[in-house]
Amino acid sequence: MLIRNKRRWEIAEREATPEAAFLDRRQILAAAGLGAVGLGAAALPLGVTGRAAAQEADPTADLYPAKRNGKFTLDRGLTPEEINAHYNNFYEFSTDKELADAAQRLRTRPWQVKFDGLVEAEKTVDIDTLIRAMPLEERLYRHRCVEAWSMTVPWTGFPLAALVAYAKPLAAAKYVRMETFLDADMAPGQNQPWYPWPYIEGLTMAEATNDLAFMVTGAYGKPVMKQMGAPLRLATPWKYGFKSIKSIVRFSFVEERPVGLWEALQSSEYGFWANVNPEVPHPRWSQAEERVLHTGERVPTLLFNGYAEEVAGLYKGLENEPLYM
């Protein structure tokens, strides 16, 4: 008989928030306590759905909603879409969390993705061609920001491992370096000279091919919104959120470890590894707890954000590395 031990972060599929519940605005507001009390209606403008609908027509919209992969479940309810859509970090457009309007300047078509470095053959592919070549599915993931808040998101996309296979890296490649767009006319935040634009992030090849590493093209049953990193972003749920680079245009397979934007700015606070660990504080605040975005509740943070079973083995032999900053 096969006995499967339940992971700490898992619940039964029947306990997950039903899709209809998070798609229905009234149910969302009721579940989150955002009626006449709580945050109040004024805190969540009605325009979010309209803005999403007003984005340029997405040629891959027919692929959503994708089938949910029941392997990835949660220990808490989903963050309602309207909250997630109004609480974002995207410094290319603003340092304010309420940047949804500003991010509508992002032009997501045409969009080209380049694969270069240590690969069999360098190539550039249209984003819609790439998405249609990949096995789309929905996964329910935790998201833990280094700022000590968290959300839960129904991402749609495909395993980063599938993209690695598509790129055909050479055996000499040790890391995958990811790069976002650079267009200061479109993204006014890129005019700020103290940030080393464009946004860069990287993973080891072992991390990139781990089953949890996920390329996001959608959320909440439709193409991902601009403020969330359209048309292609990364989700690495065992790491702090700044590792999950948005609006990617380039994947380079390299031997030398990439230096990310935040690491370049302040390596003592934002390192390459950035794995979640409640026992390792940020230099300016504790990481022992997190604020659940849609409830305001403070809950204990788990090692690797609750995904230790899946990823702890990646770091065997690396104990002398600063794995948790």
Side-chain angles (χ1 to χ4, degrees):
M1 178 187 300
L2 176 64
I3 299 175
R4 180 179 180 276
N5 293 321
K6 185 177 180 180
R7 301 180 179 95
R8 288 182 298 170
W9 49 269
E10 283 189 316
I11 60 172
E13 177 72 14
R14 65 178 181 276
E15 294 178 71
T17 303
E19 182 176 7
F22 69 74
L23 290 178
D24 184 280
R25 184 175 187 274
R26 292 184 179 179
Q27 289 177 298
I28 289 171
L29 294 176
L34 300 178
V37 296
L39 292 179
L44 292 175
L46 294 176
V48 60
T49 304
R51 277 197 303 272
Q55 293 183 24
E56 61 265 34
D58 189 312
T60 64
D62 60 296
L63 301 176
Y64 306 88
K67 181 177 175 58
R68 179 177 295 175
N69 186 334
K71 177 180 176 181
F72 303 95
T73 55
L74 298 170
D75 63 344
R76 63 187 71 156
L78 285 168
T79 300
E81 180 181 3
E82 293 197 17
I83 294 177
N84 197 334
H86 281 276
Y87 201 86
N88 309 101
N89 283 326
F90 207 161
Y91 279 35
E92 285 85 344
F93 294 96
S94 174
T95 58
D96 188 84
K97 293 288 193 293
E98 283 278 350
L99 54 79
D101 287 330
Q104 300 317 300
R105 297 175 58 139
L106 177 64
R107 295 185 297 274
T108 60
R109 298 299 188 281
W111 192 276
Q112 302 288 307
V113 181
K114 185 175 183 178
F115 299 88
D116 63 7
L118 298 172
V119 292
E120 290 185 8
E122 295 188 357
K123 57 188 172 184
T124 299
V125 62
D126 178 76
I127 184 63
D128 301 312
T129 300
L130 178 64
I131 291 173
R132 290 190 180 277
M134 294 293 145
L136 293 193
E137 64 182 36
E138 183 181 76
R139 296 184 179 185
L140 307 185
Y141 270 2
R142 293 170 175 259
H143 177 90
R144 173 58 155 83
C145 184
V146 73
E147 298 166 345
W149 55 264
S150 64
M151 61 173 62
T152 47
V153 193
W155 296 123
T156 300
F158 52 89
L160 177 51
L163 184 139
V164 170
Y166 180 87
K168 298 181 179 179
L170 303 178
K174 296 180 180 179
Y175 301 91
V176 55
R177 176 188 182 276
M178 290 159 279
E179 181 178 318
T180 194
F181 66 89
L182 183 61
D183 186 339
D185 291 334
M186 178 178 71
Q190 291 184 334
N191 288 300
Q192 306 298 339
W194 47 87
Y195 292 110
W197 304 113
Y199 202 114
I200 304 296
E201 262 306 337
L203 298 171
T204 67
M205 292 298 292
E207 290 176 320
T209 54
N210 181 273
D211 190 36
L212 279 180
F214 198 58
M215 297 309 309
V216 171
T217 63
Y220 296 94
K222 55 182 178 287
V224 67
M225 287 186 280
K226 293 182 178 183
Q227 60 267 35
M228 294 182 186
L232 184 67
R233 64 164 289 168
L234 176 67
T236 48
W238 72 97
K239 294 179 176 289
Y240 291 115
F242 70 87
K243 290 292 292 186
S244 293
I245 181 173
K246 297 179 174 181
S247 302
I248 304 170
V249 299
R250 184 180 181 187
F251 295 86
S252 300
F253 293 85
V254 297
E255 286 188 90
E256 184 176 348
R257 191 164 85 182
V259 177
L261 179 141
W262 286 103
E263 184 181 6
L265 277 172
Q266 186 57 275
S267 61
S268 64
E269 297 187 2
Y270 308 100
F272 171 79
W273 300 102
N275 295 315
V276 176
N277 189 333
E279 296 183 2
V280 179
H282 184 279
R284 289 179 281 129
W285 56 80
S286 171
Q287 297 288 16
E289 293 184 334
E290 63 202 60
R291 176 174 59 91
V292 179
L293 196 59
H294 61 286
T295 67
E297 180 185 11
R298 301 199 67 84
V299 300
T301 290
L302 299 177
L303 180 63
F304 294 111
N305 200 24
Y307 296 99
E309 181 180 338
E310 290 76 18
V311 300
L314 295 172
Y315 307 104
K316 294 280 175 67
L318 297 173
E319 288 78 12
N320 291 327
E321 287 279 330
L323 296 173
Y324 305 108
M325 73 172 209

